[in-house]
Structure formats: C-alpha cells, structure tokens
Amino acid sequence: MSDMLFAVASINLALFIASIVIALLIIRSSSLLSATVLTGFFSLLMTLLWVNMGAMDVAFTEAAVSAGISTILLIAALSVMGFDERPRPVRFGTIAKLVLFVVAGLLLYGTLDMPRFGDPDAPIHTLRAPDYIQQTVGGRSRHHQALASFGKMQQSESLSSIDPILVAGDTHAGDFGGHAPNFVTTLLAAYRGFDTMFETSVIFSAGLSLILLIKPLRRQRHKKRRLKGEIDLAAEEELFDE
Amino acid sequence: MNDQLVPRLISKLFIPFILLFGLYVVAHGEISPGGGFQGGVILACAYILYALVFGLDQAQEKISPGVVEVCAGIGVLMYAGVGVVAMAMGGKFMEYSAMFESRAGFGQSIGINVAEYGVAMTVCAVMMLIFNLVAGASDNE
C-alpha cells in the first residue's frame, strides 16, 4: 500500500513541477499562438491532478472547457487579432517585487491553517457532506440497485440497512431518495440552485454582450468600405439580408 | 480545408459520436461525472469541428445563427421555469421536491434534469455563438 501511495505522490509531484515549468514558459513566450497552446497543455496537466485528487467532475470540466473549447476560441480570436505580441520590455520596480513577495508569503501562510488533503475530520467532511452523500448515493439509488442486481455489491445490503430513512427513500420530504446519485450535480443544481442559475445567466449575458459588441462593428466596417466605393450595391443588399 | 479528403472523412465519421457523447454526458449528469455545462461544451465542439472542416457558411446553413441566439435564451428560461413550476405546485422557488406530491426524490430528479438540460442548451448555444461571431469577423477582413 505504501508503494502505491509513493507512486501517486511522485506522479503528483511530477505534474506540479511540469505545470510550474509550463506556466513560466507561457509568461516568457513571445508568440501568442504558442502561449495559447501551452495554456491548453497546462489545463491538461491540471485535469490529471484533479483526477488524482478524485475530483472527477472538476477534472471533466477542466478537460472540456479549459483544455478544449477555450483554447479553440482563443485561437479563433487570435486569427482575427494576429498571432504576434508586440515585444515590450517589462520592468519590475523594487516596490512591486516587495509587494509580490509579501502577498505570496501571506497566501502561503494562509494555507497553513487549512486542513490536510483528505483529512476525514475537516469541517467540509463533518457538516453537510455526510448528509448529502447518504441522501444521494445511499439506499435506493438506481445505480446501486442495478449493481446489486448483478450481485457485485455485497456491502450495499448493509448500507441500506443502516438508516431507515434511506430505505424509506421517496417518502422522506426534501430527500433526494437516491434519485440523483451524483451528489456533485445534486449540490450544484438543487442545493446551490440559485448559484448555478445565475452562472447560466452570466454565460447568457456574455453571449449577449458579444452580439451587441461585434455586430455593430461589422456594420461599421461595411459602411466604411461602402464610402470608399469598394462594394457595389448588389453585394451590399446581399450582406444586409442575413 | 474544404478540399482535403482525410479531415472531411474523419470529421464526418466522428461528429455523430461526439454528439452522442455530449448527449450522454448531459443526460447522465445526475448519475456520473458530467452535467449540462460539460455536455453543452462537447456538443458545441461538434459544431465547431464541422465549421472548421466544411466552412462557416455551410455550418450556418445547417444551423442558422438566429436559432442559436434564441436557444441561448430558452436554456436560461428552462432553468428558471422549472423553479417557477415548483413554486406553482406549492413549494418555494426551485424546491423541486414539491413538484410531485409524496414523491420528493422523483421531483428532485426531474427538476435537476430539466435544469441541467437548460444549462446545456445555453452553454452550447453561447459557445456556438461566440465561434460564429469571432470566426465571422475574421472572414470579413
């Protein structure tokens, strides 16, 4: 078992070192395209780290959103803006360096107060979480039933006999009754439903503001070209039809 | 990239599977890792792959930008709407367990699912919309 732990720890260490190296490379690279691709690679390393921590939902989001679509969208944006950054000498003053080190020190000092990773006595594991895990994963979940019917989950029988509420399932008011076994989704969509709703509307308003910003820009550019006499009338009508 | 055989063939082969995987991630969000956000992004990726290989014009012919813009709004409405439905059935806003009397868990499951589908719709539509606008801006240069 200790060999296993050692292996996981060394993999984690390698991932951390690689991600720091890549972060430094991103800062130093003068080509915006390579910086963007490296950002995608950084996200991939973070995905592996989340997987090692057992945070599957976070890993999935990191892979799909950060490594996937945001890299594509950034490259699409770069194809409009041009790929090269104008070289500009960066100079750090003494005060800036001092502030940087003080803030970094304070942040590191702040982490000393946090519980160790995986500590079962940490507040997050003792307050609301057990309740939710029991409500969502325990007892009568469909997934659990499917597994039990295959005879693969011997200990599941004892799980449902611990708590009568779990067996009651559906009748318990406010309970999830085992209908949503993934308690990350349950927390996000039900317990923190307002938060997720406004998250969705933030995404919606991001799209809305892009429409408001880019569409008039296109019209403006078109108008300028028309004044120069580059576009004849037929082509113009075709463009405004969309 | 319109004239290259290999990307065309491979993307034609892969897009159905990407779409299926995206739908699977959305639909199984309450059972396994994933959910509306991730699934919506994967669905949008299929569209972007199509637009990259076959051209933005052809992609916009298949799914018009107007539909995408409307879908972004409908997703948010779905999420808020299921909360209002719970309110109409006598619960609080977003108290899904009140939707079906004496079947709290089932109501929670339905509410969570509808909310997730709303999130997937908005995220997918907004990602497609961003790509449409940004790629369209570079076409006009």
Side-chain angles (χ1 to χ4, degrees):
Chain A
M1 195 60 205
S2 62
D3 283 350
M4 180 81 179
L5 282 178
F6 180 74
V8 170
S10 48
I11 289 171
N12 275 345
L13 192 67
L15 287 173
F16 270 121
I17 291 170
S19 56
I20 289 169
V21 167
I22 285 168
L24 291 173
L25 281 177
I26 292 170
I27 297 170
R28 293 203 58 87
S29 82
S30 61
S31 157
L32 289 177
L33 181 65
S34 68
T36 310
V37 174
L38 282 172
T39 314
F41 189 51
F42 183 83
S43 300
L44 186 70
L45 289 176
M46 290 314 286
T47 305
L48 295 175
L49 274 171
W50 301 135
V51 171
N52 272 356
M53 287 177 170
M56 284 301 163
D57 277 88
V58 187
F60 206 149
T61 315
E62 183 87 37
V65 179
S66 296
I69 199 140
S70 65
T71 311
I72 298 171
L73 290 179
L74 277 176
I75 289 175
L78 284 181
S79 71
V80 183
M81 288 159 40
F83 289 106
D84 287 312
E85 189 183 23
R86 199 173 299 139
R88 194 175 49 188
V90 183
R91 276 179 47 229
F92 275 114
T94 333
I95 298 173
K97 272 181 194 162
L98 202 71
V99 169
L100 200 72
F101 279 109
V102 168
V103 171
L106 279 176
L107 285 176
L108 283 175
Y109 175 71
T111 60
L112 293 180
D113 231 14
M114 284 167 75
R116 287 170 61 87
F117 176 69
D119 183 5
D121 295 328
I124 192 163
H125 295 307
T126 52
L127 294 175
R128 288 295 290 172
D131 199 24
Y132 266 94
I133 292 171
Q134 278 197 334
Q135 281 184 27
T136 52
V137 198
R140 301 187 359 153
S141 78
R142 274 174 283 163
H143 182 63
H144 156 92
Q145 274 177 350
L147 279 177
S149 67
F150 279 106
K152 282 178 185 166
M153 233 174 126
Q154 304 295 327
Q155 71 271 40
S156 57
E157 301 297 326
S158 55
L159 232 179
S160 56
S161 60
I162 294 171
D163 194 344
I165 293 172
L166 292 178
V167 184
D170 274 340
T171 54
H172 186 57
D175 202 346
F176 294 99
H179 273 283
N182 180 6
F183 56 88
V184 176
T185 304
T186 317
L187 281 182
L188 287 181
Y191 181 62
R192 276 176 40 185
F194 278 35
D195 186 51
T196 312
M197 188 181 84
F198 285 111
E199 241 166 54
T200 315
S201 38
V202 162
I203 293 166
F204 174 65
S205 40
L208 205 67
S209 45
L210 252 184
I211 294 175
L212 293 174
L213 278 173
I214 291 187
K215 277 205 171 163
L217 207 75
R218 220 188 277 179
R219 288 236 166 125
Q220 224 170 26
R221 196 187 288 160
H222 180 76
K223 219 180 211 173
K224 252 184 218 165
R225 264 198 249 170
R226 197 185 58 177
L227 287 178
K228 281 186 201 160
E230 283 176 18
I231 300 172
D232 57 312
L233 246 129
E236 177 190 340
E237 268 166 17
E238 196 184 318
L239 215 134
F240 271 111
D241 271 348
E242 62 167 298
Chain B
M1 237 192 261
N2 212 356
D3 52 336
Q4 291 182 9
L5 181 68
V6 175
R8 283 176 70 99
L9 203 71
I10 295 292
S11 61
K12 263 192 178 169
L13 209 71
F14 267 77
I15 283 170
F17 290 104
I18 297 173
L19 288 173
L20 188 67
F21 180 59
L23 289 174
Y24 165 80
V25 169
V26 175
H28 286 236
E30 54 158 6
I31 296 170
S32 54
F37 205 91
Q38 297 92 321
V41 166
I42 292 168
L43 288 175
C45 278
Y47 174 80
I48 290 174
L49 179 62
Y50 188 86
L52 284 177
V53 175
F54 295 94
L56 190 66
D57 292 336
Q58 207 178 331
Q60 288 187 342
E61 221 170 76
K62 293 279 190 296
I63 305 173
S64 88
V67 172
V68 174
E69 284 165 23
V70 170
C71 277
I74 288 176
V76 180
L77 269 182
M78 263 171 81
Y79 198 130
V82 72
V84 173
V85 166
M87 226 157 103
M89 303 302 267
K92 294 176 196 126
F93 183 58
M94 275 185 199
E95 194 185 358
Y96 305 135
S97 44
M99 280 202 295
F100 296 89
E101 223 173 319
S102 78
R103 297 195 67 192
F106 184 65
Q108 287 281 5
S109 173
I110 294 290
I112 289 169
N113 264 321
V114 174
E116 288 289 319
Y117 290 135
V119 172
M121 212 162 180
T122 298
V123 170
C124 178
V126 168
M127 293 302 152
M128 284 162 70
L129 194 145
I130 293 173
F131 185 79
N132 271 342
L133 287 172
V134 173
S138 66
D139 276 357
N140 275 12
E141 286 287 0

